Amino acid sequence: MDLNYTEAEEAFRAEARGWLEANAPRDLPPLDSPEGFPLHVAWERKLFENRWAVVSWPEAYGGREASIIEWLIFEEEYYRAGAPQRATQNGIFLLAPTVFEFGTPEQQDRILPRMASAEELWCQGWSEPGAGSDLASLTSRAERADGGWRLYGQKTWCTRGTFSDRMFGIFRTDPDSERHRGLTYMLVDLSADGVTVRPIDKLDGEEGFAEVFLDGAFVPDDDVLGEVGQGWSVAMATAGSERGLTLRSPGRFLATAQRLIELYRRRRDQVDEALRERVARMWMDAEAYRLYTLQSVTRIIEGEAVGSDSSLMKIHWSEMDVALHETALDILGPDAELAFGSDGAVERGEWMKGYLFALSGPIYAGTNEIQRNLIAERILGLPRR
Ligand SMILES: Cc1cc2nc3c(=O)[nH]c(=O)nc-3n(C[C@H](O)[C@H](O)[C@H](O)COP(=O)(O)OP(=O)(O)OC[C@H]3O[C@@H](n4cnc5c(N)ncnc54)[C@H](O)[C@@H]3O)c2cc1C
């Protein structure tokens, strides 16, 4: 592993930094709000027009063919600039790697440019009321129809579902199958007949979540991703992206750790000395995640798969995010409780808002208990119970 960046990588960083510093809006209303959502989409369009939306993708789809190291650099610069949360996240970070791996050329040409330019926004439809950690117990089904499939069932906890155009999910296509067999990965148009999207309010009052009811909605054969009946292995490719690198790159946590240091510096005269240790520890944890990621990336470049490492990374980033925000709340004391956007709230109240979201990190993308099971079995080789 070489920890020095090349001249070309440094030039890429400088170009990204210059553009983001000049163009990134800093104080948009929250993404999952009626007033914030269109502004975030407008920002996505600007990123796309300037070829910063999907830097690692082929040029034909609006990318720059950046290497994985350059992509990590871009992410660092994106968060360093305080740029907005990505409205296209479910598509570009979760579905796209799966479309690149399993999609036909026709599907790639049709789906990827519209995803990159934010013309089509995606949500993930995996969880069901009776199937979360044990996803293989899902009961939503697809029945054969002329030229495609008709869907029946219910999905839930679809992030940004109320604002999305399309949903990717897995459905039981073989009624006699059990567990991981007989499932198929499908791409669903949320405006189709037979689809009802109902918002679910979140703890912070926003309505980004949705439950999706399917009552005979049609999915054409062209929108089946991968082979019929092979949905589980296609879905697991998406899960690897979600837990590992693409969803939560180190740049996000390095930027939060830096904000924490600045908050501590501003308030150091008013707070307990012991907080200094915790702030230093948070910086080290963020830096450790960066170094571990570089090590994993080096292995990917050499042709290895990330595999179960994504479970280690998921536990680290999600627990670090909670600790980062808890440290900030302890520095802020009673000021932490001022609601987002209220008069006198420090940094608009971002720390409490971020804390409420961080609490969900150990749950989404596969709970940390499940990740610990995977580490026990696949990395440590402990017996299955
Ligand atoms: C912020 C957020 C965003 C989300 N976004 C999406 C989305 O976009 N699309 C989507 O499909 N889903 C989404 N989810 C749902 C998420 O994937 C599920 O919440 C998660 O998989 C857990 O499932 P569950 O909620 O049904 O909990 P359960 O599976 O019922 O688990 C309950 C508890 O039991 C523990 N547990 C369960 N089984 C075991 C076991 N074998 N060993 C040890 N402990 C176990 C779990 O760790 C957990 O603590 C989101 C969730 C959150 C919080």
Side-chain angles (χ1 to χ4, degrees):
M1 185 166 81
D2 181 359
L3 289 175
N4 298 307
Y5 293 108
T6 64
E7 261 181 48
E9 286 162 353
E10 292 291 8
F12 178 86
R13 183 189 291 281
E15 190 187 349
R17 182 173 294 186
W19 191 85
L20 287 164
E21 276 180 358
N23 291 284
R26 266 92 186 171
D27 291 326
L28 295 186
L31 166 56
D32 291 321
S33 65
E35 63 281 14
F37 178 72
L39 298 172
H40 281 75
V41 171
W43 163 243
E44 288 289 343
R45 298 251 157 91
K46 187 166 184 176
L47 278 172
F48 181 74
E49 281 155 18
N50 290 276
R51 291 196 309 120
W52 291 112
V54 283
V55 291
S56 58
W57 289 19
E59 284 184 13
Y61 299 146
R64 293 173 178 248
E65 313 207 348
S67 69
I68 191 162
I69 299 282
E70 286 170 332
W71 175 74
L72 286 170
I73 291 173
F74 174 76
E75 287 278 297
E76 281 182 22
E77 293 304 322
Y78 191 88
Y79 287 104
R80 182 184 176 277
Q85 208 186 333
R86 302 292 305 265
T88 50
Q89 164 189 293
N90 292 324
I92 63 174
F93 294 145
L94 304 185
L95 177 58
T98 319
V99 174
F100 278 116
E101 192 174 343
F102 293 92
T104 62
E106 183 280 322
Q107 287 176 324
Q108 292 174 351
D109 290 349
R110 177 163 51 89
I111 295 167
L112 294 170
R114 293 174 64 75
M115 180 193 287
S117 60
E119 282 163 79
E120 215 161 60
L121 294 178
W122 291 85
C123 66
Q124 183 186 42
W126 286 16
S127 304
E128 298 182 2
S133 299
D134 187 14
L135 188 60
S137 65
L138 64 85
T139 57
S140 289
R141 65 185 204 284
E143 291 180 4
R144 227 354 169 173
D146 192 17
W149 300 84
R150 292 214 173 264
L151 305 184
Y152 299 89
Q154 183 190 349
K155 297 289 179 179
T156 192
W157 311 127
C158 303
T159 297
R160 220 143 292 127
T162 39
F163 298 111
S164 297
D165 308 292
R166 304 196 71 192
M167 174 175 84
F168 55 94
I170 35 177
F171 300 88
R172 198 161 291 286
T173 40
D174 177 353
D176 299 324
S177 66
E178 285 184 359
R179 309 287 302 158
H180 312 87
R181 298 196 185 83
L183 302 170
T184 301
Y185 199 111
M186 297 195 185
L187 309 174
V188 186
D189 180 353
L190 291 179
S191 64
D193 288 345
V195 179
T196 307
V197 178
R198 210 158 65 185
I200 305 173
D201 285 348
K202 293 196 298 184
L203 187 64
D204 61 8
E206 290 176 10
E207 54 159 70
F209 267 144
E211 50 188 346
V212 177
F213 298 87
L214 300 154
D215 187 14
F218 183 69
V219 170
D221 285 326
D222 287 349
D223 280 335
V224 169
L225 194 61
E227 300 285 315
V228 170
Q230 297 300 314
W232 186 261
S233 37
V234 181
M236 286 309 105
T238 309
S241 306
E242 186 173 14
R243 283 168 206 154
L245 215 52
T246 57
L247 186 65
R248 296 285 179 257
S249 70
R252 178 185 177 113
F253 306 104
L254 291 168
T256 309
Q258 192 54 43
R259 274 177 56 218
L260 183 68
I261 291 169
E262 284 155 21
L263 178 69
Y264 175 77
R265 283 191 179 131
R266 290 199 302 275
R267 295 223 160 193
R268 66 193 308 167
D269 297 339
Q270 304 162 44
V271 299
D272 189 334
E273 181 68 16
L275 276 161
R276 190 170 63 163
E277 297 267 324
R278 283 171 61 194
V279 171
R281 170 85 211 181
M282 292 327 312
W283 179 83
M284 286 192 287
D285 279 1
E287 186 62 14
Y289 184 51
R290 184 177 82 87
L291 294 171
Y292 189 80
T293 301
L294 285 172
Q295 189 189 41
S296 299
V297 162
T298 305
R299 297 211 324 261
I300 293 172
I301 293 168
E302 286 166 0
E304 282 181 47
V306 180
S308 305
D309 260 17
S310 61
S311 295
L312 291 171
M313 292 165 105
K314 203 259 149 163
I315 292 173
H316 185 80
W317 64 248
S318 57
E319 294 186 350
M320 169 171 63
D321 205 25
V322 174
L324 274 162
H325 286 88
E326 274 174 351
T327 310
L329 300 191
D330 287 344
I331 294 173
L332 286 168
D335 287 349
E337 289 173 31
L338 290 171
F340 183 79
S342 58
D343 286 346
V346 174
E347 295 178 52
R348 290 203 299 171
E350 295 277 6
W351 285 110
M352 179 58 88
K353 192 166 170 45
Y355 173 67
L356 294 178
F357 184 71
L359 290 177
S360 66
I363 303 172
Y364 68 84
T367 69
N368 285 12
E369 289 80 9
I370 296 294
Q371 303 315 311
R372 287 190 162 89
N373 286 350
L374 293 173
I375 291 166
E377 288 164 16
R378 297 187 190 165
I379 298 182
L380 301 177
L382 298 177
R384 272 183 84 101
R385 289 193 47 203

